[in-house]
Amino acid sequence: MPDQSPTVTPYGSWRSPITPATLTAETVRLGDPAIDGENVYWLEGRPSEGGRMVLVRLTPDGTRHDVTPPPFNVRDRVHEYGGGAYAVRDGLVIFSNFADNRLYRLDLAAGETAPRPITPEAELRYADLQIDRAHNRLVCVREDHRLADTEAVNTLVALTLDGPNEDGGRILVSGSDFVSSPALTADGTHLAWLAWNHPNMPWDGCELWTADLTASGEIKHAAFVAGGDRESIFQPR
């Protein structure tokens, strides 16, 4: 008969049938919901797929399906925290892929199923994506890592929706150490954003700016609205 006596081991070193994978395998993380017409979108972080962030769409008939196929991982690393890794408007989806930091386009309204890149292979990161239909473009934060031995340069840029955007995007807003949270009016005539400088983090103090957009999409009459070194602004709309 096998020995049934207990085995004594140092605290925390015993064998257990309950592993970290057991605890997390079915724990799907949900985030970044968005509504486009009658469709609802969100991101799912799936431990069963190595933590891959998948864009999911729910249609009015209750059907849900994955928008981004493997191995695409909808995530970015701007400001190291990431955020705003996808945008959708009228069935057009633009998203950042974590593996290569490139932006990809997928037009669901046109029946596309295979994402294609619209930014070059370069040391560039993109976040806070906003589709500007009034000017047929994408407005977003760009973090430029192309210059060696210097800190990355943060700007707001405009990108064409079709690509290839070989220049990495046309700069709209620059001059501060960091920018984030671009927000457009529905008619595309005004833009708001946040800006801050070292040594602050945005929750220490940042500035809210707005500007008019011309018919061609250029920045005009940029104006400081609120905030400062000791006041934090959040989620402009």
Side-chain angles (χ1 to χ4, degrees):
M1 188 172 181
D3 185 6
Q4 298 294 320
S5 60
T7 300
V8 178
T9 62
Y11 179 80
S13 64
W14 57 82
R15 293 181 178 273
S16 171
I18 302 174
T19 65
T22 303
L23 295 173
T24 62
E26 301 302 324
T27 307
V28 175
R29 291 180 293 128
L30 306 176
D32 293 348
I35 296 175
D36 181 43
E38 295 184 319
N39 299 309
V40 180
Y41 294 78
W42 66 89
L43 291 178
E44 290 190 1
R46 298 175 179 171
S48 62
E49 298 184 39
R52 185 170 79 95
M53 299 298 291
V54 182
L55 182 61
V56 181
R57 178 174 67 165
L58 177 69
T59 54
D61 63 2
T63 302
R64 52 182 286 178
H65 75 277
D66 294 351
V67 174
T68 48
F72 290 103
N73 186 2
V74 185
R75 189 178 162 198
D76 66 75
R77 293 184 291 179
V78 169
H79 303 149
E80 301 307 323
Y81 298 98
Y86 82 93
V88 57
R89 183 82 177 268
D90 302 325
L92 175 64
V93 175
I94 307 290
F95 68 90
S96 172
N97 183 43
F98 190 64
D100 57 11
N101 296 308
R102 299 176 78 181
L103 294 181
Y104 287 77
R105 169 194 171 111
L106 185 61
D107 194 342
L108 301 177
E112 294 180 355
T113 58
R116 64 176 178 84
I118 63 168
T119 54
E121 294 184 84
E123 292 297 315
L124 298 168
R125 303 176 186 178
Y126 300 93
D128 290 341
L129 311 184
Q130 301 290 317
I131 295 176
D132 180 6
R133 277 299 194 191
H135 301 98
N136 195 35
R137 65 182 181 176
L138 183 80
V139 175
C140 62
V141 175
R142 186 185 74 184
E143 193 172 80
D144 191 339
H145 292 258
R146 290 177 293 186
L147 297 177
D149 302 322
T150 63
E151 184 173 323
V153 178
N154 272 245
T155 54
L156 291 185
V157 298
L159 299 159
T160 64
L161 295 174
D162 291 326
N165 295 300
E166 291 294 343
D167 60 355
R170 181 167 57 86
I171 295 176
L172 298 176
V173 175
S174 63
S176 57
D177 293 335
F178 302 97
V179 289
S180 75
S181 311
L184 291 157
T185 51
D187 60 3
T189 60
H190 296 84
L191 174 69
W193 69 92
L194 300 179
W196 67 97
N197 293 293
H198 289 305
N200 272 0
M201 298 296 276
W203 49 83
D204 297 318
C206 60
E207 298 176 347
L208 172 64
W209 287 76
T210 63
D212 299 335
L213 293 176
T214 66
S216 61
E218 300 297 329
I219 293 286
K220 186 178 180 181
H221 301 145
F224 169 76
V225 176
D229 288 340
R230 297 178 180 272
E231 181 179 7
S232 180
I233 309 295
F234 192 54
Q235 292 184 334
R237 291 291 182 272

